[in-house]
Amino acid sequence: MKFNEIDIKSLIIGIVISVACIIIGHLFTEWAYPFTAIGFLYIGFKAKNIKYAMIFGAITSIPLIVLAFYGYLGEFTGFFESIGGKIVLIIIIIFVGAFLGFIGGLAKRDRVKAIEEYEKKQNIGKNKKKKKKNNN
């Protein structure tokens, strides 16, 4: 992976969207939590391929881990109070971030294929010689 293949702008925008939704959900209303996925999907959609989409989705989940430990996702109870539970929580958040990035990458791949198919259908018959009708 080369540094010039990374779309820093989309990575920052995706992180800001995800973090903003978590903070809004914590401060105002809980209905904003599900919209965190929009940031991951955006990053996956803007990535060069599906592999990069998964990597960038996992990277984007790191600020969410920090917010989780500061209490923005609620208090830890039961198993998640222990060290092992916190490690499992970190793994789950990274896995979900990578999965959502993967879904965004799949959406981009399907969109590119659909555009190519559409262009192929539009080009059918364009290069054929058309018969001229003489109405004399």
Side-chain angles (χ1 to χ4, degrees):
M1 177 171 31
K2 297 177 184 175
F3 187 73
N4 60 358
E5 294 176 349
I6 300 172
D7 189 5
I8 299 293
K9 179 182 169 185
S10 67
L11 196 63
I12 291 172
I13 290 172
I15 290 171
V16 168
I17 290 170
S18 297
V19 169
C21 288
I22 294 291
I23 292 173
I24 290 170
H26 178 72
L27 296 178
F28 300 111
T29 179
E30 292 182 0
W31 62 265
Y33 285 128
F35 293 103
T36 302
I38 294 171
F40 292 102
L41 295 172
Y42 179 76
I43 288 172
F45 190 79
K46 290 292 188 172
K48 185 176 180 180
N49 57 34
I50 293 177
K51 180 177 78 170
Y52 287 163
M54 290 179 64
I55 292 169
F56 296 154
I59 290 170
T60 305
S61 65
I62 293 172
L64 299 183
I65 294 169
V66 173
L67 289 175
F69 286 122
Y70 276 110
Y72 282 83
L73 296 178
E75 295 181 22
F76 296 124
T77 58
F79 172 71
F80 292 107
E81 289 179 327
S82 67
I83 298 295
K86 290 179 182 178
I87 291 172
V88 169
L89 180 70
I90 290 170
I91 293 170
I92 289 171
I93 291 174
I94 290 174
F95 177 74
V96 169
F99 179 71
L100 288 171
F102 173 74
I103 297 298
L106 280 179
K108 179 181 180 179
R109 186 184 73 180
D110 291 343
R111 182 174 185 269
V112 169
K113 284 183 182 179
I115 289 172
E116 289 173 358
E117 294 251 342
Y118 177 76
E119 288 175 355
K120 283 181 185 177
K121 288 181 182 178
Q122 295 298 320
N123 289 332
I124 293 176
K126 293 244 178 185
N127 295 328
K128 293 182 181 179
K129 293 182 181 178
K130 295 183 179 180
K131 295 181 183 178
K132 293 183 179 180
K133 293 183 180 180
N134 293 329
N135 293 329
N136 294 335

